[in-house]
Amino acid sequence: IKDDLNNNNRTEKEKDESGYSTGGDTGTLIAAGGYDGAGIGGRKKKDGEESDACASTSDITITGGQIKAGSLIETKEEYHQPEYSGAGIGGATGHGNATNITISGNAKVAATGSNSGGAGIGGGDDGVGKNIRITDHADVTAYGGNQGAGIGGGPYRGGSVEISGNAKVFAKGANCGAGIGSGYSCSCWGDHPELVDTSVTISENAEVTAVGSYRAAAIGNGASSQQGKTTVTITGGTVTAIGGKSYIDYWNGNCYK
């Protein structure tokens, strides 16, 4: 998705030193996922299909324009059941992984996951959000769906997120999901630990605000995450991190925070 021409495609816009459009009209895309499908990305597995690979997505690149995707107020008013879709941008419900999502240039993006589960940007329900990159002058607002991170993994899954350049990001998790990082209860119980590993890197002049939901970190893990390796690296930028309300519980000999 890019924004190099006026809406009527007649003339090129002026471009900055990086070749991205500046000024003039801004192209707009509003994308609402159908039942269990992402706003932009994976779709629901159909009855009779053996593989759930269709729920996953990869190589989504947004370099300009104004993009609204997922279960937003605008999409709920205009389209059928976006509140029961997958991630705003990324995977569908049903193990929908999202890999290599890049938002750059002067793009302005708003994305929200759904009641069915999924990150605002990243994995769907039970989906990993891996190699999510936000850079340049991109302006991104992301709200997690049920138990999903704002940016990163869906419920039970991790991911990797890199924010750099002069990007401006606001991300909020939902129902125990991290603002940026993993969804609720990130656990693999010994199988495929790469599904629950989580890393977040913030650098250069990025301006980041991350808000964790109940018992979740602002940046890092969702609540009740018991497995996987989590790495948070901040080498620059301005970061505001607000963790979710803390809670401590003891069950089966384990301490949960």
Side-chain angles (χ1 to χ4, degrees):
I1 299 170
K2 60 183 181 179
D3 184 29
D4 289 331
L5 301 174
N6 287 324
N7 292 340
N8 58 14
N9 275 341
R10 286 188 305 176
T11 58
E12 282 199 46
K13 296 180 178 181
E14 295 180 1
K15 296 182 179 181
D16 62 18
E17 64 276 8
S18 300
Y20 297 110
S21 305
T22 60
D25 296 332
T26 300
T28 300
L29 172 65
I30 298 177
Y35 192 75
D36 283 347
I40 299 173
R43 66 168 173 84
K44 179 183 178 181
K45 177 182 177 181
K46 295 180 181 179
D47 292 340
E49 285 186 309
E50 294 183 2
S51 173
D52 57 8
C54 60
S56 297
T57 189
S58 62
D59 301 324
I60 296 174
T61 302
I62 301 172
T63 63
Q66 184 170 341
I67 314 300
K68 299 179 180 181
S71 184
L72 297 163
I73 292 175
E74 294 91 332
T75 58
K76 289 179 181 179
E77 291 175 348
E78 298 290 335
Y79 304 102
H80 183 60
Q81 292 186 327
E83 67 270 29
Y84 300 108
S85 55
I89 300 174
T93 59
H95 306 284
N97 300 317
T99 306
N100 299 335
I101 298 175
T102 300
I103 303 173
S104 62
N106 295 306
K108 185 172 184 179
V109 175
T112 301
S114 75
N115 294 343
S116 297
I121 300 174
D125 186 31
D126 285 305
V128 176
K130 187 176 181 181
N131 295 339
I132 300 170
R133 180 173 176 263
I134 302 170
T135 190
D136 296 334
H137 293 274
D139 186 343
V140 175
T141 300
Y143 290 89
N146 184 32
Q147 299 183 339
I151 303 174
Y156 318 115
R157 295 293 180 256
S160 56
V161 181
E162 179 183 332
I163 304 171
S164 62
N166 294 292
K168 183 177 180 180
V169 174
F170 175 88
K172 184 176 182 180
N175 294 347
C176 299
I180 303 173
S182 70
Y184 165 71
S185 191
C186 198
S187 304
C188 64
W189 304 114
D191 296 324
H192 303 289
E194 69 277 5
L195 298 178
V196 295
D197 288 344
T198 300
S199 68
V200 180
T201 301
I202 300 170
S203 62
E204 299 179 342
N205 298 309
E207 181 180 339
V208 177
T209 299
V211 181
S213 58
Y214 182 60
R215 297 193 293 133
I219 302 173
N221 287 333
S224 300
S225 296
Q226 304 172 56
Q227 295 178 308
K229 179 181 178 181
T230 300
T231 304
V232 177
T233 304
I234 301 173
T235 61
T238 301
V239 179
T240 301
I242 303 171
K245 183 179 179 180
S246 180
Y247 172 80
I248 299 177
D249 188 22
Y250 294 90
W251 177 76
N252 198 28
N254 297 313
C255 176
Y256 297 89
K257 295 184 179 180

Coordinates of all heavy atoms in Angstrom, one line a residue, residues 10-65:
R10 N -3.8 11.7 -11.5 CA -3.4 12.6 -12.6 C -1.9 13.0 -12.5 O -1.2 13.0 -13.5 CB -4.2 13.8 -12.7 CG -5.6 13.5 -13.2 CD -6.4 14.8 -13.5 NE -6.5 15.6 -12.3 CZ -7.0 16.8 -12.2 NH1 -7.5 17.4 -13.3 NH2 -7.0 17.5 -11.0
T11 N -1.5 13.4 -11.3 CA -0.2 14.0 -11.2 C 0.5 13.4 -9.9 O -0.1 13.1 -8.9 CB -0.2 15.5 -11.0 OG1 -1.0 15.8 -9.9 CG2 -0.8 16.2 -12.2
E12 N 1.9 13.3 -10.0 CA 2.6 12.8 -8.9 C 2.7 13.9 -7.8 O 2.7 15.1 -8.1 CB 4.0 12.4 -9.3 CG 4.1 11.1 -10.0 CD 5.5 10.6 -10.0 OE1 6.2 10.6 -9.0 OE2 6.0 10.2 -11.1
K13 N 2.7 13.4 -6.6 CA 2.9 14.3 -5.5 C 4.4 14.7 -5.3 O 5.3 14.0 -5.8 CB 2.4 13.7 -4.2 CG 0.9 13.4 -4.2 CD 0.6 12.8 -2.8 CE -0.9 12.5 -2.7 NZ -1.2 11.9 -1.4
E14 N 4.6 15.8 -4.6 CA 6.0 16.0 -4.2 C 6.5 14.9 -3.3 O 5.7 14.4 -2.5 CB 6.1 17.4 -3.5 CG 5.7 18.6 -4.4 CD 5.8 19.9 -3.7 OE1 6.2 19.9 -2.5 OE2 5.5 20.9 -4.3
K15 N 7.8 14.7 -3.3 CA 8.3 13.6 -2.5 C 9.5 14.1 -1.6 O 10.1 15.1 -2.0 CB 8.8 12.4 -3.4 CG 7.7 11.8 -4.2 CD 8.3 10.6 -5.0 CE 7.1 9.9 -5.8 NZ 7.6 8.8 -6.6
D16 N 9.6 13.5 -0.5 CA 10.7 13.9 0.4 C 12.0 13.2 0.0 O 12.1 12.5 -1.1 CB 10.4 13.5 1.8 CG 10.2 12.1 2.1 OD1 10.6 11.2 1.3 OD2 9.6 11.7 3.1
E17 N 13.1 13.4 0.8 CA 14.4 12.8 0.4 C 14.4 11.3 0.3 O 15.3 10.7 -0.3 CB 15.4 13.3 1.4 CG 15.3 12.8 2.8 CD 14.3 13.7 3.6 OE1 13.7 14.6 3.1 OE2 14.2 13.5 4.9
S18 N 13.4 10.7 1.0 CA 13.4 9.2 1.0 C 12.5 8.7 -0.2 O 12.3 7.5 -0.3 CB 12.8 8.7 2.3 OG 13.7 9.0 3.4
G19 N 11.9 9.6 -0.9 CA 11.0 9.2 -2.0 C 9.6 9.0 -1.7 O 8.8 8.5 -2.5
Y20 N 9.2 9.4 -0.5 CA 7.8 9.2 0.0 C 7.0 10.5 -0.3 O 7.6 11.6 -0.3 CB 7.7 8.9 1.4 CG 8.4 7.5 1.8 CD1 9.6 7.5 2.5 CD2 7.8 6.4 1.3 CE1 10.2 6.2 2.7 CE2 8.4 5.1 1.6 CZ 9.5 5.1 2.3 OH 10.1 3.9 2.6
S21 N 5.7 10.3 -0.5 CA 4.9 11.5 -0.9 C 4.7 12.4 0.3 O 4.7 12.1 1.4 CB 3.5 10.9 -1.3 OG 3.6 10.0 -2.3
T22 N 4.6 13.7 -0.1 CA 4.3 14.8 0.9 C 3.3 15.7 0.3 O 3.2 15.9 -0.9 CB 5.6 15.6 1.2 OG1 6.0 16.2 0.0 CG2 6.7 14.7 1.8
G23 N 2.4 16.2 1.2 CA 1.4 17.2 0.7 C 0.4 16.6 -0.2 O 0.3 15.4 -0.5
G24 N -0.5 17.5 -0.7 CA -1.5 17.1 -1.6 C -2.6 16.2 -1.0 O -2.7 16.1 0.3
D25 N -3.4 15.6 -1.8 CA -4.4 14.7 -1.3 C -3.8 13.4 -0.7 O -2.7 13.0 -1.2 CB -5.4 14.3 -2.4 CG -6.2 15.4 -2.9 OD1 -6.4 16.4 -2.1 OD2 -6.6 15.4 -4.1
T26 N -4.4 12.8 0.2 CA -3.9 11.5 0.8 C -4.9 10.4 0.5 O -6.0 10.5 0.8 CB -3.8 11.7 2.3 OG1 -2.9 12.8 2.6 CG2 -3.3 10.4 2.9
G27 N -4.3 9.4 -0.1 CA -5.1 8.2 -0.4 C -5.6 7.5 0.9 O -4.9 7.5 1.9
T28 N -6.8 7.0 0.9 CA -7.4 6.4 2.1 C -7.9 5.0 1.8 O -8.5 4.7 0.8 CB -8.6 7.2 2.7 OG1 -8.1 8.5 3.0 CG2 -9.2 6.6 3.9
L29 N -7.6 4.1 2.8 CA -8.1 2.7 2.7 C -8.7 2.3 4.0 O -8.1 2.4 5.0 CB -6.9 1.7 2.4 CG -7.3 0.2 2.4 CD1 -8.3 -0.1 1.3 CD2 -6.0 -0.6 2.3
I30 N -10.0 1.8 3.9 CA -10.7 1.3 5.1 C -10.9 -0.2 4.8 O -11.6 -0.5 3.8 CB -12.0 2.1 5.4 CG1 -11.7 3.6 5.7 CG2 -12.7 1.4 6.5 CD1 -12.9 4.4 5.9
A31 N -10.4 -1.0 5.7 CA -10.5 -2.5 5.5 C -11.1 -3.1 6.7 O -10.5 -3.1 7.8 CB -9.2 -3.1 5.2
A32 N -12.3 -3.8 6.5 CA -12.9 -4.5 7.6 C -12.9 -6.0 7.4 O -13.3 -6.4 6.3 CB -14.4 -4.0 7.8
G33 N -12.4 -6.7 8.3 CA -12.3 -8.2 8.1 C -13.7 -8.8 8.2 O -14.6 -8.3 9.0
G34 N -13.9 -9.8 7.4 CA -15.2 -10.6 7.5 C -15.1 -11.5 8.7 O -14.1 -11.4 9.5
Y35 N -16.1 -12.3 8.9 CA -16.1 -13.2 10.1 C -14.8 -14.0 10.2 O -14.5 -14.8 9.4 CB -17.3 -14.1 10.0 CG -17.7 -14.8 11.3 CD1 -18.2 -14.1 12.4 CD2 -17.4 -16.1 11.5 CE1 -18.5 -14.8 13.6 CE2 -17.6 -16.8 12.7 CZ -18.2 -16.1 13.7 OH -18.5 -16.7 14.9
D36 N -14.1 -13.8 11.3 CA -12.8 -14.4 11.6 C -11.6 -14.1 10.7 O -10.5 -14.6 10.9 CB -13.0 -16.0 11.6 CG -13.7 -16.5 12.8 OD1 -13.8 -15.7 13.8 OD2 -14.1 -17.7 12.8
G37 N -11.8 -13.2 9.8 CA -10.7 -12.7 8.9 C -10.1 -11.4 9.4 O -10.8 -10.6 10.0
A38 N -8.9 -11.2 9.0 CA -8.2 -9.9 9.4 C -8.7 -8.8 8.5 O -9.2 -9.0 7.4 CB -6.7 -10.1 9.2
G39 N -8.6 -7.6 9.0 CA -8.9 -6.4 8.2 C -8.0 -6.4 7.0 O -8.5 -6.3 5.8
I40 N -6.7 -6.5 7.2 CA -5.7 -6.7 6.1 C -4.9 -7.9 6.5 O -4.2 -7.9 7.5 CB -4.8 -5.5 5.9 CG1 -5.7 -4.3 5.5 CG2 -3.8 -5.7 4.8 CD1 -4.9 -3.0 5.5
G41 N -4.9 -9.0 5.7 CA -4.1 -10.2 6.0 C -4.8 -11.5 5.8 O -5.4 -11.7 4.7
G42 N -4.8 -12.4 6.8 CA -5.3 -13.7 6.6 C -6.8 -13.8 6.6 O -7.5 -12.9 7.0
R43 N -7.3 -15.0 6.1 CA -8.7 -15.2 6.0 C -9.1 -16.5 6.8 O -8.2 -17.3 7.2 CB -9.2 -15.4 4.6 CG -8.6 -16.7 3.9 CD -9.4 -16.9 2.6 NE -8.8 -18.0 1.9 CZ -9.0 -19.3 2.1 NH1 -9.9 -19.7 3.0 NH2 -8.5 -20.3 1.3
K44 N -10.4 -16.6 7.1 CA -10.8 -17.8 7.8 C -10.7 -19.1 7.0 O -10.9 -19.1 5.8 CB -12.3 -17.6 8.2 CG -12.9 -18.8 9.0 CD -14.4 -18.5 9.2 CE -15.0 -19.7 9.9 NZ -16.5 -19.5 10.2
K45 N -10.3 -20.1 7.7 CA -10.3 -21.5 7.0 C -11.7 -21.9 6.7 O -12.6 -21.8 7.5 CB -9.7 -22.5 8.0 CG -9.6 -23.9 7.5 CD -9.0 -24.8 8.5 CE -9.0 -26.2 8.1 NZ -8.4 -27.1 9.2
K46 N -11.9 -22.3 5.4 CA -13.2 -22.8 5.0 C -13.5 -24.2 5.4 O -12.5 -25.0 5.6 CB -13.3 -22.7 3.5 CG -13.2 -21.2 2.9 CD -13.3 -21.2 1.4 CE -13.2 -19.8 0.9 NZ -13.3 -19.8 -0.6
D47 N -14.7 -24.5 5.5 CA -15.1 -25.9 5.8 C -14.5 -26.9 4.7 O -14.7 -26.6 3.5 CB -16.6 -26.1 5.9 CG -17.2 -25.3 7.1 OD1 -16.5 -25.1 8.0 OD2 -18.4 -25.0 7.0
G48 N -13.9 -27.9 5.2 CA -13.3 -28.9 4.2 C -11.9 -28.7 3.9 O -11.2 -29.6 3.4
E49 N -11.3 -27.5 4.2 CA -9.9 -27.2 4.0 C -9.1 -28.0 5.0 O -9.4 -27.9 6.2 CB -9.6 -25.7 4.0 CG -10.0 -25.0 2.8 CD -9.6 -23.6 2.8 OE1 -9.8 -22.9 3.8 OE2 -9.0 -23.1 1.8
E50 N -8.0 -28.6 4.6 CA -7.2 -29.4 5.6 C -6.2 -28.5 6.3 O -5.9 -28.7 7.4 CB -6.5 -30.5 4.8 CG -7.4 -31.6 4.3 CD -6.7 -32.7 3.6 OE1 -5.4 -32.7 3.7 OE2 -7.3 -33.7 3.1
S51 N -5.7 -27.5 5.6 CA -4.7 -26.7 6.1 C -5.3 -25.4 6.6 O -6.2 -24.8 6.0 CB -3.6 -26.4 5.1 OG -2.7 -25.4 5.5
D52 N -4.7 -24.8 7.7 CA -5.1 -23.5 8.2 C -4.1 -22.4 7.8 O -4.1 -21.3 8.4 CB -5.3 -23.5 9.7 CG -4.1 -24.0 10.5 OD1 -3.0 -24.1 9.8 OD2 -4.1 -24.1 11.7
A53 N -3.3 -22.7 6.8 CA -2.3 -21.7 6.3 C -2.9 -20.4 5.8 O -2.3 -19.4 5.9 CB -1.4 -22.3 5.2
C54 N -4.2 -20.5 5.3 CA -4.8 -19.3 4.8 C -5.1 -18.3 5.9 O -5.3 -17.1 5.6 CB -6.2 -19.7 4.2 SG -7.3 -20.5 5.4
A55 N -5.0 -18.7 7.2 CA -5.3 -17.8 8.3 C -4.0 -16.9 8.5 O -4.1 -15.8 9.1 CB -5.6 -18.5 9.5
S56 N -2.9 -17.3 8.0 CA -1.7 -16.6 8.2 C -1.4 -15.6 7.0 O -2.0 -15.8 6.0 CB -0.5 -17.5 8.4 OG -0.7 -18.3 9.5
T57 N -0.5 -14.7 7.2 CA -0.1 -13.7 6.2 C 1.3 -13.3 6.4 O 1.9 -13.5 7.4 CB -1.0 -12.5 6.3 OG1 -0.9 -11.7 5.2 CG2 -0.8 -11.7 7.6
S58 N 1.9 -12.8 5.3 CA 3.3 -12.3 5.3 C 3.5 -11.2 4.3 O 2.7 -11.1 3.4 CB 4.3 -13.5 5.1 OG 4.1 -14.0 3.8
D59 N 4.5 -10.4 4.6 CA 5.0 -9.4 3.6 C 3.9 -8.4 3.3 O 3.6 -8.1 2.1 CB 5.5 -10.1 2.3 CG 6.6 -11.0 2.6 OD1 7.5 -10.7 3.5 OD2 6.7 -12.1 2.0
I60 N 3.4 -7.7 4.3 CA 2.5 -6.6 4.2 C 3.4 -5.3 4.3 O 4.0 -5.1 5.3 CB 1.4 -6.6 5.2 CG1 0.5 -7.8 5.0 CG2 0.6 -5.3 5.1 CD1 -0.5 -8.0 6.1
T61 N 3.3 -4.4 3.3 CA 4.1 -3.2 3.3 C 3.2 -2.0 3.1 O 2.5 -1.9 2.1 CB 5.2 -3.2 2.3 OG1 6.1 -4.4 2.5 CG2 6.1 -2.0 2.3
I62 N 3.3 -1.1 4.0 CA 2.5 0.2 3.9 C 3.5 1.3 4.0 O 4.2 1.5 5.0 CB 1.5 0.3 5.0 CG1 0.5 -0.9 5.0 CG2 0.7 1.6 5.0 CD1 -0.4 -0.9 6.2
T63 N 3.5 2.1 2.9 CA 4.5 3.2 2.9 C 3.9 4.6 2.8 O 4.6 5.6 2.7 CB 5.5 3.1 1.7 OG1 4.7 3.2 0.5 CG2 6.2 1.8 1.7
G64 N 2.5 4.7 2.9 CA 1.9 6.0 2.8 C 0.4 5.8 2.9 O -0.2 4.7 3.0
G65 N -0.3 7.0 2.9 CA -1.7 7.0 2.9 C -2.3 6.9 4.3 O -1.6 6.8 5.3

